[in-house]
Amino acid sequence: MTTTDARTSGARFSVEDSAEEAAFRAEARAFFASVSSRRTDADETGNYFAMADNDPETHARHVARNQEAQRALYDAGWAGITVPAEYGGRGGERWQERIFRQEQARFTVDTGVFAVSLGMVVPTILVHGTEEQKHRYIPPMLRGEEIWCQLFSEPGAGSDLAGLTTRAVRDGDEFVVNGQKVWNSGAHHAQWGALIARTNVDVPKHRGITYFLVDMHSPGVDVRPLRQATGVAHFNEVFLTDVRIPAANVLGAVDGGWAVAQTMLMNERNMIGSGGMGIGFGDYLRMARELGVTDDPAVRQGLAACFVRTEIIKYLGARAQAAIRSGKQPGPETSVVKLNASLHSAANGDLGLQIQGAGGMLAGDDAFRRGMFQQMFVGQWGMRLGGGTEQIQRNVIGERVLGLPGEPRPDKTLPFSEIPKNG
Ligand SMILES: Cc1cc2nc3c(=O)[nH]c(=O)nc-3n(C[C@H](O)[C@H](O)[C@H](O)COP(=O)(O)OP(=O)(O)OC[C@H]3O[C@@H](n4cnc5c(N)ncnc54)[C@H](O)[C@@H]3O)c2cc1C
């Protein structure tokens, strides 16, 4: 099916591959088939629990396997599809990246620990980095050697990220950083962090922030894992005490970090919304068949709704793809994609338990597929909050996509030091 869309400059889009896309897909699929096998339910479950295992040795093995897989992609010329060849990438286009990721999700080549590095940090450095920074930081990520984390949120600054209070004070050729970050995914296995901190309190809050590239092994960086409701320690608190960062590690301009952070956040929303959906419609249908409940009218309704949502997300993806092919960077429309992915994960969380009936109350090895669907149910809020909450996505869509009047923001023009604060 083909249609047009005013918001993609009238670009025609189709959910079917064009001849060029189909050829690229076949090439990518043949590559994955030559180095790995098709992902099965058992692989999916095993990978989920390896990723979720808090035992340091199991976790280290999982990270090492991801690094090996990323290195194999690099050696075969498939790392960094859109990254120019001079920085170690394939020099391809964004639509190819999307197809490549879709194909990768079908096979047992897992590089999930590089999600922040490759999906968020690389595109940000490409837009805002100096030549020296691009050459220094991008190739080791593509080779699977250096893993990055995002050090943005703080206990008092999540949705209102620009209200952050971590301070960076210049001292000669360095900045000295003090403060606390929180919810930092993968910081416990990251070598580098993308940090935003306040460098100027005398200007409005968005204008006094700087974006730094921080070595996570610097003295004064203290990473403390946080355990979630699922039992998994996926993210961390990061305390920064007199951490010295060379001025050469500023990305973009001093006090100009908000624009750099926005590039990263747009890429984050795009990645969350368009990435493999993890467990998908086929998994729910298979579970319903295995448990013999496909005749249950409520289950049928749930499956039909899941299928419809999956199709809508496919169309949103095709629209994003059309925009990308016409040369656009991801914009505020990524909030539409992120919001839909959030709502999908919420409804799927319910569906996974509904299909199991009373069995939905079981956990661990007693439950269907070792309780993976129960984990997905409990973990859904992570997906819905991370990368910006549903309410915030709705605000972005209202204001920046639909052009509705903005929320009152009396603190937008006040110098940060004059904004009333708690305590
Ligand atoms: C799984 C996961 C991974 C994450 N990974 C990272 C990471 O790697 N690095 C990082 O820096 N951060 C990370 N985060 C943090 C994430 O970005 C924040 O949780 C998110 O931005 C929300 O901020 P908050 O938790 O402080 O909630 P708050 O901002 O305190 O919001 C609380 C509630 O109020 C609502 N709300 C707030 N403001 C408004 C408003 N203006 N209008 C309407 N409603 C509003 C919110 O929608 C929410 O429901 C992660 C979070 C999760 C869950």
Side-chain angles (χ1 to χ4, degrees):
M1 180 176 172
T2 304
T3 186
T4 54
D5 181 345
R7 293 190 186 276
T8 53
S9 320
R12 293 186 76 76
F13 72 86
S14 167
V15 287
E16 308 301 335
D17 282 345
S18 66
E20 193 183 14
E21 287 166 338
F24 182 79
R25 187 181 295 285
E27 194 190 344
R29 192 172 293 181
F31 163 71
F32 282 118
S34 72
V35 296
S36 62
S37 52
R38 284 276 187 160
R39 192 181 288 273
T40 62
D41 285 357
D43 291 324
E44 182 86 54
T45 311
N47 186 50
Y48 177 84
F49 284 101
M51 189 168 66
D53 201 314
N54 292 326
D55 170 51
E57 277 182 28
T58 316
H59 186 75
R61 273 199 302 276
H62 173 71
V63 173
R65 268 199 304 275
N66 273 241
Q67 291 190 281
E68 281 163 26
Q70 183 58 35
R71 178 73 207 202
L73 293 184
Y74 179 83
D75 289 342
W78 287 100
I81 302 285
T82 55
V83 176
E86 59 190 303
Y87 311 121
R90 192 178 166 93
E93 296 183 41
R94 291 188 78 108
W95 63 266
Q96 294 177 323
E97 173 99 52
R98 198 175 187 96
I99 289 177
F100 186 75
R101 287 180 57 200
Q102 287 168 351
E103 288 307 311
Q104 182 173 354
R106 296 173 195 271
F107 290 88
T108 55
V109 178
D110 191 35
T111 53
V113 301
F114 289 96
V116 172
S117 319
L118 302 177
M120 294 158 59
V121 179
V122 166
T124 307
I125 293 181
L126 278 174
V127 173
H128 299 279
T130 61
E131 276 309 303
E132 206 179 333
Q133 288 170 331
K134 291 177 193 173
H135 283 287
R136 161 60 189 89
Y137 297 108
I138 294 176
M141 284 189 254
L142 299 183
R143 290 194 299 262
E145 292 161 4
E146 291 180 348
I147 302 173
W148 286 64
C149 65
Q150 180 193 40
L151 303 174
F152 278 20
S153 306
E154 297 183 1
S159 302
D160 179 22
L161 186 58
L164 60 87
T165 57
T166 292
R167 285 299 311 270
V169 177
R170 185 135 196 173
D171 180 21
D173 287 343
E174 294 176 323
F175 284 82
V176 181
V177 180
N178 282 284
Q180 186 202 334
K181 297 291 172 178
V182 73
W183 316 130
N184 310 113
S185 308
H188 51 308
H189 54 234
Q191 284 82 32
W192 286 91
L195 167 78
I196 50 175
R198 188 161 304 282
T199 35
N200 190 343
V201 294
D202 300 321
V203 291
K205 59 182 182 176
H206 295 89
R207 292 202 226 130
I209 291 171
T210 300
Y211 188 115
F212 296 94
L213 312 174
V214 57
D215 181 344
M216 294 296 285
H217 299 119
S218 306
V221 177
D222 180 12
V223 179
R224 301 184 196 168
L226 288 170
R227 193 177 290 254
Q228 297 156 239
T230 51
V232 176
H234 158 87
F235 43 37
N236 306 267
E237 299 177 290
V238 176
F239 293 82
L240 302 147
T241 310
D242 292 332
V243 177
R244 301 191 84 86
I245 305 178
N249 287 23
V250 169
L251 189 70
V254 172
D255 293 347
W258 188 247
V260 188
Q262 285 306 314
T263 302
M264 190 171 190
L265 291 171
M266 272 190 288
N267 278 287
E268 178 174 16
R269 288 196 285 269
N270 197 37
M271 181 181 75
I272 293 173
S274 64
M277 301 297 297
I279 292 181
F281 172 73
D283 296 270
Y284 294 101
L285 182 60
R286 271 197 301 282
M287 171 161 64
R289 285 187 174 140
E290 269 182 57
L291 297 177
V293 292
T294 44
D295 287 339
D296 179 323
V299 168
R300 293 175 77 84
Q301 287 285 353
L303 285 171
C306 176
F307 181 77
V308 170
R309 288 192 305 272
T310 307
E311 288 297 292
I312 290 171
I313 288 174
K314 194 161 87 183
Y315 276 95
L316 288 172
R319 185 165 72 172
Q321 180 105 330
I324 286 164
R325 290 208 76 163
S326 65
K328 283 181 157 186
Q329 283 285 330
E333 318 82 273
T334 53
S335 289
V336 179
V337 179
K338 165 72 183 31
L339 177 61
N340 272 278
S342 291
L343 298 176
H344 190 47
S345 78
N348 285 353
D350 290 346
L351 180 61
L353 300 193
Q354 185 195 354
I355 292 173
Q356 294 178 60
M361 290 185 282
L362 297 173
D365 289 342
D366 292 334
F368 186 82
R369 273 176 79 182
R370 294 174 59 197
M372 186 165 159
F373 290 89
Q374 281 76 347
Q375 289 285 94
M376 303 303 285
F377 173 82
V378 179
Q380 65 174 278
W381 285 275
M383 163 75 182
R384 296 169 68 183
L385 299 170
T389 67
E390 285 160 23
Q391 292 78 13
I392 294 303
Q393 304 309 333
R394 289 183 201 277
N395 281 353
V396 174
I397 293 166
E399 294 177 22
R400 291 204 253 147
V401 180
L402 302 176
L404 298 174
E407 271 194 283
R409 294 192 180 89
D411 60 354
K412 206 173 167 186
T413 48
L414 275 183
F416 183 74
S417 54
E418 291 175 25
I419 297 174
K421 298 173 191 72
N422 290 333

